[in-house]
Amino acid sequence: MKDKLIIFDTTLRDGEQSPGASMTRDEKVRIAKALERLRVDVIEAGFPAASEGDFEAVQAVANSIENSTVCGLARALDNDIDRAGEALKGANSRRIHTFIATSPIHMQQKLKMSPEQVIEYAVKAVKRARQYTDDVEFSPEDAGRSEEDFLCRILEAVIDAGATTLNIPDTVGYSVPHEFGATIAHLIERIPNSDKAIFSVHCHNDLGLAVANSLSAVINGARQVECTINGLGERAGNAALEEVVMAIKTRHDVFPCETSLDTREIVTCSKLVSSITGFPVQPNKAIVGANAFAHESGIHQDGVLKNRETYEIMKAEDVGWAANRMVLGKHSGRNAFKSRMNELGFQFSSEEELNDAFVRFKQLADKKHEIFDEDLQALISEVSTDNDEENVKLVALKVCSETGETPCATVTIRIGQDEKTGSATGGGAVDASLKAIEALVKTGATLELYSVNNITTGTDAQGEVTVRLDKAGRIVNGLGADTDIVIASAKAYINAVNKLQSQDFRQHPQSGDV
């Protein structure tokens, strides 16, 4: 029997720290349910003390998930730990993950604390967390640049205090595989009570080594890997869950452990996270990229036709590609629509919500002959963001663009209960439309990113537009989809405007003084 490798997904916490990737409470619940279908062992739902909105999101996830353990992050502070304990109260299985920095530069420059004080805070935090749950995880932040002797001291102390999982984070992505693997092996060997805890790793991808470092740690004794869907995360991201899991599964001859994940759910989960966050997956991304199982070279095509294993080390079906081909159309009924939506992880809260979504589906079906799962994912995102809490809504849009003339746009939007109409010219139809909207809403934000991706193939495919706005350091992503790319752009901009106007400003989980 091989050891069990615990998969700890932090898409909803560390993944959300990507600039513009903040998620609503309902979006977090949808992703959490998709992770549960994927059979992820632990879902880190957020940082409850960061804001009231994040507290409510973690609470909602805890109350919605039945089989996976739900985890909340907390600094080594009493209030943080108490908020996490309260948010997780409704979970069938709960974990509190507390952390404090241990590298010399962090202790001296950020915390202004001595090593002895750091150990004291860590032990106190673990003991307090144990009042809420027996499942407590401790992380020495920036362990990759911490002194090994000090790591041994603090980890031994927190195990004695009741920590059951020790997570070793390469917080700034500084480590290289042989070095990081050796660190894990040394800690397990040197810490007298190491057998009383599971060793975990959390690697960042600043040097493109997050997955390699994680796998090296597994070979050297780590039995939990913290990762995210699509490698989402702050800066260059985290270790990609799909890459770690499929490496373990494909190279079972190398790794002395196995996961319990249903890998057929990987692609669906990837597309959901991409749709909600507005972060597209690059075509050549391993496992979940559009070209991951594509072959254009004649030599490769010939080999695959003769024997798939000549150029493919995995089956596309094993990660969910083949299972993602159900097609709906204009003649599909409500039951088929509702059933497929449920399979994609979206539960309608009322008949009114179902009716609204079905009307949108029929409208899309009039524009497109075939509706794929990717279209439904985009429709779900539209339904979940277009609700009564949205202050600004698109009513009408008219554009004029012809050769030799300056493009212009006239837009009508509803702000609260009032309708406003404005016009603008621009370098193109999209530019004119966004300028017309901005003239009405007057956010004063800077457009940092404008990105267009086709959701499916064909000239009638929906275009998915992502815009990123920055206002005084607050960064939000807006997402919009439509068969008309100009309308999709307007939807995306308005979606971002509504997020900017939201009062729920999510504080960075590691901001503030300890």
Side-chain angles (χ1 to χ4, degrees):
M1 292 290 292
K2 286 190 172 185
D3 289 348
K4 165 73 179 294
L5 179 66
I6 297 169
I7 298 299
F8 178 112
D9 183 273
T10 184
T11 302
L12 302 181
R13 198 276 300 173
D14 206 331
E16 194 188 23
Q17 289 175 210
S18 300
S22 292
M23 310 165 200
T24 66
R25 179 189 62 192
D26 291 342
E27 288 170 342
K28 279 198 169 189
V29 171
R30 282 172 51 208
I31 291 176
K33 288 182 176 179
L35 293 171
E36 185 176 33
R37 289 194 303 275
L38 184 58
R39 298 180 187 167
V40 163
D41 300 292
V42 184
I43 300 171
E44 189 167 50
F47 183 80
S51 69
E52 187 61 32
D54 218 26
F55 176 90
E56 293 174 357
V58 174
Q59 188 175 57
V61 171
N63 294 337
S64 302
I65 297 303
E66 297 179 1
N67 301 315
S68 300
T69 295
V70 180
C71 178
L73 183 71
R75 292 168 296 187
L77 294 171
D78 290 351
N79 180 67
D80 281 27
I81 292 166
D82 293 342
R83 291 292 282 171
E86 180 66 24
L88 296 167
K89 189 179 296 182
N92 288 346
S93 176
R94 66 186 68 86
R95 174 183 296 186
I96 292 178
H97 178 191
T98 186
F99 72 95
I100 192 168
T102 56
S103 65
I105 188 173
H106 276 238
M107 290 190 291
Q108 295 166 13
Q109 303 298 322
K110 186 180 77 171
L111 301 181
K112 310 293 185 184
M113 293 168 63
S114 68
E116 287 70 25
Q117 287 176 307
V118 169
I119 293 177
E120 179 183 349
Y121 268 73
V123 168
K124 182 183 176 183
V126 169
K127 288 181 177 179
R128 193 175 188 91
R130 287 283 301 208
Q131 297 176 13
Y132 295 97
T133 176
D134 292 336
D135 190 350
V136 176
E137 177 171 334
F138 173 77
S139 288
E141 185 188 5
D142 201 21
R145 294 188 296 175
S146 298
E147 296 173 352
E148 191 174 291
D149 288 346
F150 182 62
L151 283 178
C152 289
R153 287 177 57 203
I154 193 169
L155 293 177
E156 180 181 358
V158 295
I159 293 174
D160 284 340
T164 52
T165 299
L166 302 180
N167 180 56
I168 313 303
D170 183 22
T171 304
V172 293
Y174 182 72
S175 298
V176 295
H178 78 278
E179 172 188 62
F180 194 64
T183 296
I184 301 301
H186 293 163
L187 292 175
I188 294 174
E189 180 181 354
R190 292 183 59 189
I191 297 172
N193 51 2
S194 63
D195 60 320
K196 296 180 180 179
I198 293 172
F199 277 73
S200 168
V201 289
H202 177 113
C203 298
H204 279 265
N205 206 39
D206 297 73
L207 294 176
L209 296 172
V211 170
N213 283 332
S214 299
L215 294 176
S216 178
V218 170
I219 290 175
N220 284 277
R223 289 299 176 263
Q224 175 178 285
V225 173
E226 301 197 358
C227 41
T228 61
I229 299 295
N230 300 336
L232 193 67
E234 58 182 324
R235 303 189 313 279
N238 291 54
L241 177 147
E242 59 276 4
E243 295 177 23
V244 170
V245 170
M246 292 311 295
I248 297 290
K249 182 174 181 177
T250 303
R251 294 307 309 272
H252 56 83
D253 58 320
V254 173
F255 296 98
C257 54
E258 57 189 4
T259 75
S260 58
L261 268 65
D262 182 355
T263 59
R264 295 170 298 179
E265 295 289 335
I266 285 177
V267 167
T268 297
C269 206
S270 167
K271 290 181 180 297
L272 176 63
V273 170
S274 176
S275 174
I276 286 176
T277 62
F279 281 59
V281 176
Q282 66 192 62
N284 63 331
K285 168 75 172 65
I287 317 297
V288 294
N291 292 347
F293 294 91
H295 302 277
E296 185 168 333
S297 164
I299 295 174
H300 285 209
Q301 291 172 344
D302 180 64
V304 170
L305 289 172
K306 291 175 179 176
N307 186 322
R308 181 190 60 80
E309 294 183 1
T310 55
Y311 286 101
E312 288 188 3
I313 60 173
M314 297 169 284
K315 293 180 181 178
E317 297 89 339
D318 287 348
V319 297
W321 280 109
N324 210 33
R325 293 293 91 196
M326 181 173 177
V327 180
L328 298 178
K330 65 188 299 181
H331 300 297
S332 299
R334 280 166 50 96
N335 285 339
F337 171 73
K338 181 180 179 181
S339 174
R340 190 58 189 148
M341 285 296 218
N342 289 342
E343 291 173 9
L344 292 174
F346 188 81
Q347 305 289 332
F348 293 102
S349 59
S350 64
E351 280 296 310
E352 183 180 358
E353 187 177 39
L354 170 59
N355 292 337
D356 179 49
F358 188 64
V359 168
R360 295 169 189 258
F361 164 72
K362 285 294 189 179
Q363 291 171 344
L364 180 59
D366 284 335
K367 301 177 183 178
K368 289 195 64 187
H369 178 63
E370 295 179 331
I371 309 289
F372 294 93
D373 286 351
E374 295 91 336
D375 295 307
L376 296 179
Q377 293 282 14
L379 187 147
I380 290 171
S381 294
E382 185 176 29
V383 170
S384 65
T385 57
D386 187 10
N387 54 48
D388 293 337
E389 296 178 2
E390 301 298 311
N391 185 51
V392 183
K393 295 185 178 182
L394 178 66
V395 176
L397 174 63
K398 179 181 179 180
V399 297
C400 181
S401 182
E402 59 180 296
T403 305
E405 299 293 333
T406 301
C408 61
T410 300
V411 63
T412 300
I413 61 175
R414 184 178 294 116
I415 304 177
Q417 301 300 317
D418 301 325
E419 284 194 5
K420 293 186 177 182
T421 299
S423 299
T425 59
V430 170
D431 185 38
S433 299
L434 301 192
K435 285 180 177 176
I437 295 171
E438 176 60 28
L440 295 173
V441 296
K442 297 180 172 60
T443 66
T446 302
L447 180 63
E448 296 287 344
L449 172 72
Y450 174 83
S451 173
V452 182
N453 293 278
N454 61 313
I455 294 177
T456 55
T457 58
T459 56
D460 66 345
Q462 287 195 95
E464 188 173 59
V465 175
T466 301
V467 300
R468 183 173 298 160
L469 299 182
D470 183 346
K471 182 178 181 180
R474 183 176 182 185
I475 301 172
V476 297
N477 269 6
L479 189 69
D482 199 276
T483 54
D484 187 321
I485 202 64
V486 180
I487 295 176
S489 302
K491 288 180 177 179
Y493 197 88
I494 289 175
N495 182 226
V497 168
N498 279 305
K499 289 181 178 179
L500 274 180
Q501 294 181 352
S502 169
Q503 297 303 309
D504 180 22
F505 177 54
R506 184 179 183 277
Q507 179 185 349
H508 191 290
Q510 296 180 21
S511 65
D513 296 327
V514 174

